Amino acid sequence: MTPLDILSSAGTGLGAGLALIIAIGAQNAFVLRQGLRGEHVGLVVLVCMLSDVVLIAAGIFGIGEVVRAVPAVVVVIRLAGAAFLLAYGVLAAKRALRPGTLTVSGQQGALGRRAVLGTVLALTWLNPHVYLDTVLLLGTLANQHGGLRWWFGAGAALGSVLWFSALGYGARLLRPVFARPVSWRVLDGAIALVMVFLAARMAFGF
């Protein structure tokens, strides 16, 4: 095991991790929205990062094989996640229709710490793709690296840290754009469409 081997495995893990998490999805949409509003950003980013670290480690430990062996678990998670995403999509649609709640710094429409924590945990852990992609796929890829699998996992975890930090804290750069209610209307409308689409995809498995 040479330093070059370590860098190669970690770099591959970094690329694989980023490829899986940089996508329009429920979790990323929520992180972006909280970042724009400046509400509990640190909590949201921390939960997302720690969740990915736990899931990646679980995959390397071989939990992905359990997921593969007991498909009923994924079905239950899929249906629960679909119901949650549908409910969240309806709430986003309501926000889009009520511009009075779409302000960057105002407290109207703000979520409390517990509500934010519960939402980000649900969006993360009730997503069946988390188990199929992060646990099963990344776990399988990591274990192909043999003794370097934990370096692969470290690279994938670093990708999660970099992405969620950039998304959560970098969102403030877009605040001038979202100083107008119409921008929030468009964002929440887009979030509603994404959530409903993902809910249908989860529920019907397409």
Side-chain angles (χ1 to χ4, degrees):
M1 183 185 301
T2 67
L4 184 60
D5 292 331
I6 292 174
L7 287 175
S8 177
S9 291
T12 303
L14 174 63
L18 288 173
L20 289 176
I21 63 175
I22 299 178
I24 298 175
Q27 186 189 51
N28 284 339
F30 184 73
V31 175
L32 175 62
R33 192 174 194 280
Q34 292 303 116
L36 287 169
R37 293 180 66 90
E39 296 172 0
H40 310 296
V41 180
L43 175 64
V44 171
V45 170
L46 182 62
V47 169
C48 291
M49 292 189 305
L50 290 179
S51 295
D52 269 12
V53 170
V54 171
L55 290 164
I56 291 168
I60 295 175
F61 272 121
I63 304 300
E65 294 304 314
V66 176
V67 174
R68 191 199 303 270
V70 191
V73 173
V74 177
V75 173
V76 172
I77 294 172
R78 191 183 77 218
L79 295 177
F84 182 83
L85 289 179
L86 182 60
Y88 192 85
V90 171
L91 291 176
K94 288 182 177 180
R95 288 196 304 264
L97 295 174
R98 289 156 54 181
T101 66
L102 307 179
T103 57
V104 176
S105 59
Q107 294 302 309
Q108 191 177 11
L111 292 176
R113 182 179 295 272
R114 288 185 180 181
V116 167
L117 178 60
T119 301
V120 70
L121 284 173
L123 289 174
T124 301
W125 292 90
L126 288 181
N127 179 4
H129 294 289
V130 164
Y131 301 94
L132 297 175
D133 293 344
T134 307
V135 177
L136 185 57
L137 181 56
L138 280 182
T140 300
L141 291 174
N143 283 304
Q144 289 177 354
H145 287 251
L148 293 167
R149 62 187 181 278
W150 288 107
W151 288 106
F152 178 97
L158 176 61
S160 177
V161 170
L162 293 175
W163 171 249
F164 288 117
S165 296
L167 186 62
Y169 291 105
R172 69 185 62 183
L173 299 176
L174 297 175
R175 285 182 184 173
V177 176
F178 285 88
R180 297 178 298 170
V182 65
S183 297
W184 282 102
R185 187 189 292 272
V186 171
L187 176 64
D188 279 321
I191 289 176
L193 291 175
V194 169
M195 297 299 177
V196 172
F197 171 75
L198 292 177
R201 185 176 180 182
M202 284 187 190
F204 300 105
F206 64 85

